[in-house]
Amino acid sequence: VRTQRYCTVLCRSLRRRANPDIRPPNPNAAAEWLLNGTVRIPLSRGKFAIIDATDAEHVLAYSWMAAPYRGGRYYAVRKQGTRHIFLHRFILGDLAGTKTDHRDGDGLNNTRENMRTATNSQNMANRGPTCKNTSGYKGVYWDKKSRLWCAGIMVNRHHIHLGHFQDPENAARAY
């Protein structure tokens, strides 16, 4: 019984450590210095991260991997023990209570010009329409009761109704 319990605990910890979504990068690939003052860092899965040349020495001291995230996005990460360190947090500094927002939505573009420290509310405002969106526009939804398109926005956790409209295009203009 004791051997079985030990084996179960050991297998569980090994499963946690062996994450199939994160693979080590190709050690034969070298960083590519670009003319615009940026560096292209090879990651796993055939992906590349872009950083500023000023950050290259600090970043290239570690091995980085491409980790898939929601919505088909990828982020550059490295493992430190059991923790995953994101490249964008590594470059800007890991400030508690804040998030790092990529202005262009590309998690692999880690140039300082493309990143900013943001609150959760600011970070969520930079998102596009969700996969459940039926109108094709952010902030526009169908109201079954009134049988009209509505526009709404969320500010500091409060929903602000912007009006009812006959078509989603006019509702999107109000947003």
Side-chain angles (χ1 to χ4, degrees):
V1 174
R2 182 181 170 160
T3 307
Q4 183 181 9
R5 182 174 174 203
Y6 171 76
C7 186
T8 304
V9 172
L10 178 66
C11 291
R12 199 177 308 137
S13 70
L14 286 174
R15 260 184 270 134
R16 260 189 246 126
R17 271 188 254 148
N19 186 345
D21 290 336
I22 299 176
R23 298 184 189 115
N26 180 356
N28 299 327
E32 181 181 346
W33 297 77
L34 304 175
L35 294 175
N36 62 354
T38 60
V39 179
R40 232 173 87 152
I41 300 172
L43 306 171
S44 58
R45 301 173 181 265
K47 304 286 183 192
F48 292 88
I50 298 180
I51 61 167
D52 290 323
T54 55
D55 297 318
E57 186 179 345
H58 188 53
V59 170
L60 292 173
Y62 300 96
S63 181
W64 298 91
M65 302 171 277
Y69 199 68
R70 293 182 217 130
R73 289 196 177 121
Y74 284 87
Y75 289 95
V77 299
R78 72 177 173 89
K79 287 191 80 166
Q80 183 174 343
T82 58
R83 291 183 57 215
H84 289 100
I85 311 293
F86 286 88
L87 179 58
H88 55 269
R89 303 282 290 180
F90 182 75
I91 290 172
L92 288 186
D94 196 3
L95 301 171
T98 63
K99 298 205 178 236
T100 302
D101 184 30
H102 292 83
R103 287 187 171 107
D104 66 358
D106 181 4
L108 296 177
N109 183 357
N110 292 297
T111 57
R112 288 184 181 268
E113 182 183 283
N114 186 50
M115 296 185 300
R116 64 180 172 195
T117 302
T119 64
N120 190 51
S121 180
Q122 291 168 331
N123 196 26
M124 296 303 282
N126 197 22
R127 291 176 61 181
T130 64
C131 61
K132 296 190 296 185
N133 184 305
T134 56
S135 69
Y137 300 101
K138 183 179 172 186
V140 177
Y141 58 95
W142 178 252
D143 183 18
K144 289 181 187 176
K145 190 174 182 180
S146 67
R147 301 179 141 238
L148 292 169
W149 291 98
C150 294
I153 192 167
M154 192 75 109
V155 178
N156 294 329
R157 298 182 185 176
H158 296 286
H159 183 267
I160 298 172
H161 178 72
L162 301 175
H164 288 85
F165 302 90
Q166 292 293 328
D167 52 53
E169 291 80 17
N170 287 333
R173 281 190 210 100
Y175 179 81

